[in-house]
């Protein structure tokens, strides 16, 4: 609606763009609501329901009056303890409860971390392709994201040489994520160690995002940066959560692990911004972390099968190149060969236009690489049912064939 009043929103927020992932998902949902048969490769979330024992724990928590009240902004003490215990179990990192801060998802934990560490003018090293929210969150903290491009030739992995070349007196933080969204790349342990050592030598903080730690396939294995490079531990914020591992994206529980001074600063921010995470969802997260990893192993086996199928189908399309993803649940093919061509009677010049054409012509939703700092590529999530996956990949092959 045009009101004649000048845009009242702050300069800060005017500069923030909408998440391209959510935008394409919303478009696909709107078409579906109109009765269209759209297959969505866009959403970054498991298609499984949350395991039953977690839901049961949440149901029990609903009738517990303590969960009807405010609770400590930093998280329920028992959950902080469980997160510390889970961290040593899964990655070998020893953690004190006071280093743990429970947040409304990994996204919120990342937001807190940039707010706590970054001053206006500080530079944050950001390997590209990157997850869409990092640059916006860095900007919201007043920082400058310094993009470090990687490509299929370099295995989508940043090198210590690149980091060193980008370092300036203003460099404050490095964002590190493995397994990666959007590329599905998992860094080998020795490269993580070298990056951690470089950061420690350079006095650079590392925000290391481990949200996909349990979703690794084949020979790939997840190692935690402060475990293989203990010298980086005192300048490290580890971010994690239950969303991807336990199919709990909607519950909104994540956390950070950081030196106590940083954790306390983030807790202060949270105490004014959001207060505690809902008690019922903290109870659900507790059940997830204190339970077994059997359901996770089953989901991982399914993703692994879908990963191979997706990769086989994609690389069978003439002109599409795609490394075999090793972690998370995304494939990140290059569609550069199709730029300048016609898709369904429409000439496409960019991966954004290609994705728009694919939604229009083939009724499939892919996320264009532009949002990840990687034009020419697109991201497909393979966390969708087998039938839809096959039908969607058939449609892609037909549209590009
Ligand atoms: N980090 C990465 C790399 C992600 O892909 C996501 C979700 O897509 C998140 C963090 C945030 O996860 P959540 O806020 O759902 O815990």
């Amino acid at each position: 609606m045009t009101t004649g009043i000048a845009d009242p929103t702050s300069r800060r927020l005017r500069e923030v763009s909408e998440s391209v992932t959510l935008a394409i998902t919303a478009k696909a949902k709107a078409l579906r609501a109109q009765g269209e048969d759209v297959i969505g490769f866009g959403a970054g979330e498991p298609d499984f329901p949350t395991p039953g024992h977690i839901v049961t724990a949440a149901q029990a928590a609903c009738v517990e009056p303590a969960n009807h009240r405010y609770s400590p902004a930093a998280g329920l003490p028992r959950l902080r303890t469980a997160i510390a215990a889970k961290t040593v179990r899964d990655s070998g990192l020893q953690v004190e409860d006071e280093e743990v801060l429970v947040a409304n998802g990994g996204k919120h934990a990342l937001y807190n971390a940039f707010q706590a560490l970054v001053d206006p003018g500080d530079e944050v090293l950001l390997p590209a392709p990157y997850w869409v929210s990092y640059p916006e969150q860095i900007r919201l903290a007043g920082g400058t994201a310094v993009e470090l491009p990687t490509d299929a030739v370099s295995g989508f992995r940043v090198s210590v040489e690149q980091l060193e070349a980008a370092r300036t007196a203003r460099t404050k933080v490095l964002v590190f994520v493995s397994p990666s969204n959007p590329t599905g790349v998992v860094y080998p342990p020795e490269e993580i160690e070298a990056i951690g050592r470089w950061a420690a030598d350079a006095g650079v903080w590392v925000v290391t995002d481990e949200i996909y730690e349990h979703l690794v396939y084949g020979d790939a294995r997840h190692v935690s940066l402060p475990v293989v490079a203990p010298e980086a531990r005192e300048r490290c914020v580890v971010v994690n959560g239950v969303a991807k591992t336990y199919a709990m994206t909607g519950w909104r529980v994540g956390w950070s692990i950081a030196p106590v001074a940083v954790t306390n600063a983030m807790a202060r921010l949270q105490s004014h911004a959001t207060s505690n995470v809902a008690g019922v969802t903290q109870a659900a997260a507790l059940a997830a972390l204190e339970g077994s990893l059997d359901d996770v192993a089953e989901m991982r086996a399914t993703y692994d099968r879908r990963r191979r199928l997706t990769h086989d189908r994609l690389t069978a399309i003439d002109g599409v190149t795609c490394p075999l993803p090793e972690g998370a649940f995304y494939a990140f093919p290059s569609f550069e060969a199709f730029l300048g061509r016609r898709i369904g009677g429409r000439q496409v010049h960019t991966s954004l236009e290609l994705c728009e054409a694919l939604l229009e012509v083939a009724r499939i939703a892919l996320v264009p690489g532009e949002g990840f700092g990687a034009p020419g590529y697109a991201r497909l999530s393979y966390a969708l049912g087998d039938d839809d996956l096959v039908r969607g990949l058939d449609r892609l092959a037909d549209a590009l064939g």
Side-chain angles (χ1 to χ4, degrees):
M1 185 176 69
T2 315
T3 60
I5 302 173
D7 186 347
T9 56
S10 66
R11 209 169 302 133
R12 220 169 45 253
L13 289 199
R14 261 180 269 152
E15 284 169 9
V16 171
S17 49
E18 191 192 358
S19 157
V20 68
T21 328
L22 297 184
I24 200 99
T25 309
K27 220 176 200 176
K29 273 188 186 155
L31 279 170
R32 230 177 265 133
Q34 291 165 20
E36 296 285 344
D37 171 26
V38 176
I39 298 174
F41 288 100
E45 63 180 343
D47 59 312
F48 299 104
T50 301
H53 69 281
I54 301 173
V55 177
T56 303
Q59 283 169 331
C62 276
V63 294
E64 183 57 57
N67 291 319
H68 307 167
R69 311 275 177 250
Y70 292 129
S71 59
L76 294 174
R78 189 164 161 210
L79 180 57
R80 294 173 88 188
T81 303
I83 289 167
K86 162 258 169 291
T87 306
V88 75
R89 175 194 72 188
D90 294 348
S91 71
L93 185 69
Q94 295 284 346
V95 175
E96 302 297 328
D97 294 5
E98 306 75 61
E99 294 178 298
V100 177
L101 179 68
V102 181
N104 288 286
K107 188 180 271 186
H108 185 203
L110 288 160
Y111 180 85
N112 287 339
F114 294 123
Q115 289 291 328
L117 293 175
V118 176
D119 273 321
D122 284 348
E123 292 174 1
V124 178
L125 301 180
L126 182 61
Y130 46 74
W131 179 52
V132 291
S133 292
Y134 296 134
E136 306 301 339
Q137 293 194 351
I138 293 164
R139 193 172 308 141
L140 281 167
T144 303
V146 178
E147 291 183 25
L148 305 177
T150 70
D151 56 21
V153 179
S154 57
F156 290 119
R157 303 194 306 272
V158 75
S159 68
V160 165
E161 292 70 31
Q162 268 181 297
L163 295 171
E164 183 56 23
R167 178 159 71 104
T168 72
R170 302 304 314 247
T171 307
K172 180 74 185 281
V173 179
L174 161 68
V175 178
F176 183 74
V177 52
S178 173
S180 155
N181 173 6
T183 63
V185 158
V186 179
Y187 282 67
E190 61 278 10
E191 289 185 23
I192 301 183
E193 182 183 337
I195 289 170
R197 288 218 168 124
W198 170 84
D201 287 347
V204 168
W205 280 80
V206 184
V207 172
T208 176
D209 185 339
E210 301 189 349
I211 199 103
Y212 295 101
E213 72 176 326
H214 284 290
L215 302 182
V216 292
Y217 315 106
D219 293 335
R221 72 193 173 92
H222 168 76
V223 296
S224 181
L225 185 142
V227 172
V228 288
E231 52 276 75
R233 171 77 165 86
E234 63 181 13
R235 282 199 197 84
C236 208
V237 181
V238 178
V239 171
N240 207 330
V242 292
K244 317 288 178 173
T245 303
Y246 299 96
M248 291 179 71
T249 47
W251 296 81
R252 310 312 301 137
V253 184
W255 58 84
S256 54
I257 295 164
V260 172
V262 176
T263 296
N264 288 346
M266 295 190 290
R268 283 199 302 278
L269 170 63
Q270 215 166 264
S271 75
H272 294 295
T274 53
S275 299
N276 61 280
V277 173
V280 169
T281 61
Q282 290 197 68
L286 188 65
L289 299 184
E290 288 183 343
S292 88
L293 286 165
D294 293 351
D295 294 307
V296 179
E298 235 173 80
M299 289 190 271
R300 181 173 48 235
T302 306
Y303 296 137
D304 189 10
R305 186 168 41 74
R306 293 173 181 169
R307 163 184 83 110
R308 291 173 190 284
L309 184 142
T310 304
H311 180 257
D312 288 351
R313 293 289 189 105
L314 283 172
T315 51
I317 302 171
D318 205 18
V320 174
T321 56
C322 183
L324 179 65
E326 300 166 300
F329 35 62
Y330 308 105
F332 200 60
S334 166
F335 291 101
E336 269 162 333
F338 298 90
L339 305 185
R341 292 206 209 162
R342 299 188 85 76
I343 306 290
R346 182 172 159 175
Q347 182 132 32
V348 299
H349 302 97
T350 62
S351 37
L352 183 63
E353 288 177 4
L354 176 79
C355 290
E356 283 169 358
L358 289 172
L359 187 55
E360 215 167 87
V361 173
R363 291 292 189 245
I364 48 175
L366 280 63
V367 188
E370 280 85 348
F372 307 107
Y377 294 83
R379 191 191 75 177
L380 287 85
S381 165
Y382 50 84
L384 68 165
D386 293 67
D387 288 352
D388 275 355
L389 190 61
V390 171
R391 279 197 313 132
L393 289 167
D394 283 346
R395 287 185 191 181
L396 179 67
D398 287 347
L400 299 179

